[in-house]
Amino acid sequence: MAIAVGACASTQTAPLGVLPEASVPALAAAAVLPEGDWRTINRDLAATRYSPLNEINRANVAGLQQVWAYPMRGYNTAVPLVIDGVMYFPAGNRVIALDAASGQEIWTFEQPRDADNPRNTISGRGVGYWPGDAQHAPRIVVMIGSGLLQLDAATGQPVQAFGEGGYIDVGVPYGGTPTIYDNVAIIGAATMENPIGPPGNPRAFDLLTGAKLWEFQTVPQEGQPYNETWGNGWKGRSGANMWAFMAPVDTQRGIAYLPISSAAPNYWRGDAPGSNLFSNSLVAVDAKTGKYLWHFQTVHHDLWDADMPSAGSLINVTIDGETKPIIAHVGKTSYFFELNRVTGEPVLPVEERPVPRGDVPGEYYHPTQPFPVKTPPLSRVSMTKADMVTAQDTTAEHAAACQAMWDKAGGFYNVGPFTPFLFQERGAPPRSTIQLPGGIGGVNWGGPAADPTTGMVYVNAHDTSLVGWVEKVEPGVQYSFDATETAEYDRASVDGKGPFFSFSAPISGKYDEKARPVGPTAPCYKGPWARLTAVDANTGEIKWAVPLGLVEGLPEDRQLQGDTGSAGPTVTAGGLVFVGATNDKRFRAFDATTGKQLWEARLDNSANANPMSYRARSGKQYVAINAGGTMIAYALPGQGS
């Protein structure tokens, strides 16, 4: 369902989901993005991660060589920005500006470490960039805990005219990057998995005055539309936050797209019967006022931790001869949705299908879930015992360890997509469930990359699992590191309390004296376990899918099974898809049309970050990636620096 809520007079209730704070001054439209720049973590406000550069292409990518590396003094997953030949990124408690051609430092801002200061953790995801105007110089904008900090882009010094010494306090912290549209900075919220706690509301702030412009209420309060989708469970409800690291913006229409994640807690919400809007939803709002425009819920009453790690990419596609503006979304469930980004209506069919019910006392089970009709899931969504690996698939030792796990768990119950966890009575024989994809996806925070010239969308989709059951919580027992309080029920398994156990086993088949795997592990169901996948958004068809990553503990002829983290790819006009993400410590380039691998580089650490491409002031094209805390740049030999 899509609705539009009109503006309200000052004596009426505010528009749905909007807490008005201040007016937004009129501003000129955003300037055209120079083709050699990379101005957001996804390059542009459309979040395409598409570079129009083609100096590096199918014909010559095999010659790509490392030209510089910058040690960041710590691990993060940041994607750098490049503006007019200068690269910006966070590194530990610093923000760095480098010459993007040489990797030489231009300036460094260092945030003092102070355990008593809530603004002592610089976001490890990246920074934002504001180009300034006739009266104000360009600024780098970064989250530091609950602080929003502005730095002069030329010097790295805090902008003293903003807030207090360059900072404003935003209240609830956020670990992503500010989305900058005109003079508006849109941020999300980092909340824990406690049922009751701070709201996960996205907010927007004026980059000149620091004033809060709007706040979107993700759990509708009493009297607001959709409040009834929570029963009485809306009061003080936490989660339902935008933890994703950017909110795409349709700059032509001034629409921001907020990916709202599941409410807390993840695995039991019997106290909130209903579909629980706006959790697990894409919500479109006016970027300057926060006025609600439409929403689309991808999961009703989420019991699978299938939250929204990214919103998706904004491109135009041609369907039945008609050009349609869409947002292409795929998340942890691995289901690929295409929505009209103006109305929220699916442009390719979506149908509600019945899904299995569970038996946890007091739980609400939504009878249906939305399924795309044309595009199949991009990851494994079901499993039977016949899908287990054999000695011929992996190793005899691994297969035996998997069988032992199956027996210990009492087998694993799964009856297809959205299988809920069964209830386990304390002391009863184990009755285990397996959920596919698991809580990390599917497609996680790396999200898609999209070529706006072809309508092709590229993702790293991996097959993960979660196993166990839901049980009545034991008093005084911690079930999860990200929750200090629990609901009446929570996740556990034969391996212990908490949600983090999967159906995987050591390839060696061995465990140490503390029951820890000896050597690398691998899933216990048949591979491939991760794929780089290309979807034609004009038709919804999967054009190609290739295993992504080697599992080097396996025999050499069985290693190409796919082994990735949560990062995603980048696509270029040179016909290339670049992707790190793999646990085999490699950076690769694939042919965007065929999926054939054309190049790879060995790394000292896994590059679980999104790659990017830019042009230095010399005109030369580079490709860069953050490889486990080292920023590395690659280019073709010769042709200047």
Side-chain angles (χ1 to χ4, degrees):
M1 179 174 69
I3 66 171
V5 178
C8 300
S10 59
T11 56
Q12 296 176 303
T13 303
L16 176 64
V18 178
L19 305 179
E21 296 284 346
S23 60
V24 185
L27 290 165
V32 175
L33 174 61
E35 66 174 14
D37 280 7
W38 193 276
R39 293 201 174 189
T40 79
I41 58 169
N42 292 317
R43 183 176 183 267
D44 49 30
L45 283 170
T48 61
R49 268 203 324 275
Y50 169 79
S51 169
L53 304 179
N54 61 9
E55 174 189 329
I56 302 169
N57 54 55
R58 296 182 183 96
N60 60 23
V61 68
L64 207 59
Q65 298 178 0
Q66 180 178 320
V67 292
W68 60 259
Y70 181 90
M72 299 165 64
R73 302 188 202 166
Y75 172 84
N76 68 28
T77 56
V79 180
L81 309 187
V82 172
I83 296 94
D84 191 24
V86 180
M87 178 180 285
Y88 306 90
F89 55 87
N93 66 327
R94 302 173 299 153
V95 178
I96 307 294
L98 303 180
D99 180 292
S102 67
Q104 296 298 306
E105 285 187 11
I106 297 173
W107 55 253
T108 298
F109 167 81
E110 186 162 351
Q111 174 71 11
R113 295 189 184 277
D114 181 356
D116 297 325
N117 184 349
R119 306 185 189 122
N120 64 354
T121 305
I122 294 177
S123 169
R125 304 302 186 176
V127 300
Y129 173 74
W130 183 59
D133 56 27
Q135 288 79 40
H136 303 89
R139 301 174 183 179
I140 299 300
V141 189
V142 63
M143 293 302 305
I144 304 182
S146 63
L148 181 69
L149 169 65
Q150 290 190 16
L151 303 174
D152 184 290
T155 67
Q157 295 300 307
V159 177
Q160 297 298 320
F162 181 73
E164 295 183 12
Y167 298 85
I168 62 169
D169 193 331
V170 300
V172 179
Y174 174 53
T177 66
T179 298
I180 310 299
Y181 171 67
D182 282 352
N183 75 324
V184 179
I186 300 171
I187 65 170
T191 57
M192 299 186 74
E193 290 298 337
N194 295 324
I196 305 300
N201 298 340
R203 297 145 289 166
F205 294 85
D206 189 306
L207 285 168
L208 294 176
T209 67
K212 184 191 287 186
L213 301 173
W214 54 263
E215 178 173 353
F216 184 83
Q217 184 67 50
T218 62
V219 178
Q221 303 298 286
E222 189 170 21
Q224 293 181 331
Y226 306 114
N227 170 262
E228 73 281 359
T229 66
W230 292 87
N232 289 323
W234 56 272
K235 299 177 182 178
R237 180 68 59 176
S238 192
N241 61 343
M242 188 183 97
W243 64 260
F245 311 139
M246 177 184 169
V249 178
D250 182 330
T251 57
Q252 178 185 351
R253 300 172 177 88
I255 302 174
Y257 302 89
L258 311 176
I260 309 301
S261 293
S262 53
N266 282 323
Y267 303 106
W268 187 85
R269 211 170 307 119
D271 60 342
S275 60
N276 299 163
L277 288 167
F278 294 96
S279 68
N280 302 85
S281 298
L282 284 174
V283 179
V285 301
D286 184 287
K288 294 185 178 181
T289 67
K291 188 182 84 168
Y292 166 91
L293 300 174
W294 57 259
H295 74 272
F296 179 86
Q297 190 173 46
T298 61
V299 180
H300 311 312
H301 195 87
D302 182 15
L303 300 173
W304 302 270
D305 190 20
D307 50 14
M308 305 285 280
S310 72
S313 303
L314 311 183
I315 57 174
N316 294 336
V317 297
T318 302
I319 299 176
D320 297 328
E322 182 180 354
T323 300
K324 295 182 180 292
I326 71 160
I327 180 168
H329 168 79
V330 57
K332 289 185 180 181
T333 64
S334 85
Y335 288 113
F336 187 86
F337 295 99
E338 291 187 32
L339 309 176
N340 184 306
R341 65 177 185 263
V342 180
T343 67
E345 297 293 338
V347 298
L348 293 177
V350 175
E351 63 184 23
E352 293 283 335
R353 298 175 186 168
V355 293
R357 288 180 56 86
D359 61 352
V360 177
E363 184 59 273
Y364 168 85
Y365 295 96
H366 202 82
T368 64
Q369 296 291 346
F371 289 80
V373 174
K374 288 198 172 183
T375 309
L378 306 187
S379 301
R380 178 184 284 275
V381 296
S382 63
M383 181 196 161
T384 67
K385 195 171 190 300
D387 295 317
M388 283 180 60
V389 295
T390 65
Q392 291 71 39
D393 296 318
T394 54
T395 67
E397 295 80 6
H398 177 250
C402 290
Q403 183 63 56
M405 285 191 68
W406 178 280
D407 296 339
K408 178 182 177 183
F412 290 110
Y413 167 79
N414 184 277
V415 286
F418 296 101
T419 295
F421 291 99
L422 297 176
F423 177 64
Q424 178 70 15
E425 289 277 8
R426 191 162 291 117
R431 200 168 62 123
S432 302
T433 302
I434 184 168
Q435 169 198 330
L436 296 147
I440 60 173
V443 179
N444 208 302
W445 48 257
D451 185 337
T453 69
T454 64
M456 296 297 297
V457 178
Y458 304 90
V459 299
N460 162 30
H462 49 188
D463 296 355
T464 61
S465 64
L466 280 181
V467 298
W469 54 67
V470 170
E471 67 180 28
K472 192 170 181 63
V473 166
E474 293 187 44
V477 176
Q478 184 172 1
Y479 279 71
S480 175
F481 74 92
D482 56 359
T484 56
E485 301 174 8
T486 59
E488 188 177 353
Y489 297 87
D490 210 335
R491 280 281 315 287
S493 77
V494 293
D495 295 304
K497 307 300 183 188
F500 306 111
F501 301 101
S502 64
F503 191 24
S504 57
I507 295 171
S508 67
K510 298 177 181 178
Y511 296 86
D512 66 15
E513 66 280 0
K514 295 184 178 180
R516 295 173 301 195
V518 175
T521 63
C524 288
Y525 35 85
K526 295 180 187 294
W529 301 309
R531 291 159 296 280
L532 182 64
T533 300
V535 180
D536 186 346
N538 300 286
T539 64
E541 297 176 356
I542 295 177
K543 285 299 185 181
W544 53 260
V546 296
L548 181 59
L550 302 175
V551 183
E552 294 181 305
L554 294 175
E556 189 170 349
D557 62 342
R558 306 173 198 175
Q559 289 183 0
L560 189 57
Q561 296 274 15
D563 187 17
T564 67
S566 296
T570 283
V571 60
T572 75
L576 300 170
V577 179
F578 288 95
V579 63
T582 56
N583 296 314
D584 59 9
K585 300 179 182 179
R586 286 168 170 83
F587 183 30
R588 295 176 169 90
F590 294 82
D591 187 306
T593 301
T594 67
K596 180 181 178 181
Q597 183 175 317
L598 301 177
W599 171 83
E600 77 173 32
R602 299 246 182 159
L603 306 168
D604 292 333
N605 298 291
S606 295
N608 196 29
N610 294 342
M612 51 85 71
S613 187
Y614 61 90
R615 176 174 287 154
R617 289 177 178 173
S618 65
K620 189 178 183 69
Q621 182 184 358
Y622 293 75
V623 177
I625 194 164
N626 176 355
T630 300
M631 196 66 70
I632 305 176
Y634 299 84
L636 296 172
Q639 302 177 18
S641 60

